[in-house]
Amino acid sequence: MAAPWMKTIEACGLDAEALRALVQDEMAQASVLRLRGVTPPGEPLPFWRSVGEVLGPSCDVVEDSVTGQPKVVPGAWMDVRFEPDRPDTYRHHKVGQPLHSDGAYSPADYADQIALFYLERQARTGGESLFVDAATVAERARAQDPALHAALTTLPVQFGKVGAGRTTPILSTRNGRLKINWNYFRVLPGQGEAVDRLREAFRRFLEDMIEDGAVTCFRLEARDVVFFRDDEVLHGRRDFQAEQSGERLLWKTYFLPPAQTAAHRSRTAAAA
């Protein structure tokens, strides 16, 4: 029997050493690991960053909230914070966010990054997280629309943002694991009618999956954390109610497998 792609564990009472061992063990197989009930002894962000580094070095390159340009901030996390005056970006808005990969347009050297979400503050209502793994997407597409499945697995698509980019089929296999790479808004224009058709067809397909309850939906609570392999799942969120700045606040950071450390150091130096 295949191991479950997502696991939720009540980790109350575990110290940092025990959590590092747990995360390393579970993420060897799972694509998503949700941990609940942990109360860090000090500041939560440095604590969880140190736990996550059992998976590989942490990434110090973050996106500027205004320009979208990469910048180096050692030890930094990116905030996904509701801001009432920023309806221009999902990162700061309260509308639902479509299923996507965070690093869809990142260079291939970053393809295996593992993300960590830490929820500091949840909205009064709404804001449920959505996750679906590559295998579930592939199986549904194969069964319901073989032509779509063929395009997802064979047609190269170029994704890009602010100078960074990657070209890959949306579904592929790497190192024996099924991978998925997708962001509707980062599919670059001018790639021909086949890519245009695929872009719209896959958007509708994923919307139908959400409508049909074919994706995993759960509501994070304050202090919950989620580790996930960004190249093996898509994630999104439902809309939420908020009026004041920071009413919903999630922090995220990323870890790279040791094999990608050299490439990361080179890009970090270039972005500095």
Side-chain angles (χ1 to χ4, degrees):
M1 180 181 295
W5 64 270
M6 177 175 176
K7 297 189 72 173
T8 298
I9 296 177
E10 297 289 342
C12 180
L14 296 185
D15 62 13
E17 183 177 355
L19 286 167
R20 281 192 285 268
L22 175 67
V23 168
Q24 185 175 45
D25 183 56
E26 295 294 343
M27 289 303 293
Q29 295 297 327
S31 297
V32 181
L33 174 64
R34 179 187 178 191
L35 299 178
R36 305 185 61 195
V38 177
T39 302
E43 289 296 321
L45 298 186
F47 175 85
W48 281 112
R49 192 176 177 97
S50 70
V51 170
E53 286 181 334
V54 73
L55 301 171
S58 54
C59 180
D60 292 328
V61 178
V62 299
E63 284 186 1
D64 185 274
S65 176
V66 177
T67 67
Q69 291 279 359
K71 61 180 181 180
V72 177
V73 184
W77 292 63
M78 287 178 60
D79 65 320
V80 183
R81 178 195 310 265
F82 171 67
E83 296 288 2
D85 61 347
R86 292 295 308 276
D88 57 307
T89 170
Y90 285 113
R91 178 175 170 183
H92 298 298
H93 205 4
K94 59 184 177 181
V95 298
Q97 186 171 19
L99 292 166
H100 66 284
S101 310
D102 273 358
Y105 48 84
S106 299
D109 288 337
Y110 284 66
D112 292 331
Q113 67 184 5
I114 297 175
L116 168 58
F117 284 0
Y118 172 79
L119 187 71
E120 179 174 326
R121 190 159 46 250
Q122 182 58 284
R124 288 167 291 170
T125 59
E128 292 86 358
S129 298
L130 305 171
F131 278 87
V132 64
D133 70 316
T136 298
V137 172
E139 290 165 8
R140 184 179 174 100
R142 187 184 298 111
Q144 294 190 357
D145 192 337
L148 174 62
H149 180 265
L152 290 170
T153 54
T154 62
L155 185 62
V157 178
Q158 186 178 9
F159 299 86
K161 180 182 180 181
V162 195
R166 187 192 312 177
T167 301
T168 178
I170 294 170
L171 288 170
S172 62
T173 300
R174 188 170 66 253
N175 300 326
R177 298 176 71 124
L178 188 61
K179 307 294 184 177
I180 188 164
N181 194 78
W182 172 248
N183 187 319
Y184 174 84
F185 299 101
R186 299 305 169 192
V187 176
L188 294 179
Q191 299 184 63
E193 293 184 2
V195 171
D196 290 344
R197 288 195 301 270
L198 174 59
R199 179 176 184 251
E200 296 303 325
F202 194 48
R203 175 186 60 80
R204 293 190 297 269
F205 177 85
L206 292 176
E207 289 175 349
D208 288 344
M209 288 192 73
I210 295 173
E211 182 68 24
D212 295 344
V215 307
T216 297
C217 177
F218 57 91
R219 192 168 191 271
L220 290 170
E221 300 298 337
R223 300 194 305 276
D224 282 2
V225 301
V226 181
F227 289 90
F228 64 93
R229 295 184 177 277
D230 188 52
D231 62 348
E232 295 184 3
V233 298
L234 300 179
H235 69 282
R237 69 157 190 267
R238 298 194 184 278
D239 56 6
F240 58 89
Q241 295 296 315
E243 301 298 332
Q244 302 299 317
S245 173
E247 277 194 57
R248 187 179 192 272
L249 175 57
L250 180 144
W251 298 92
K252 63 180 180 178
T253 191
Y254 302 91
F255 305 95
L256 295 169
Q260 296 180 337
T261 302
H264 168 61
R265 287 174 178 166
S266 175
R267 283 182 54 80
T268 298

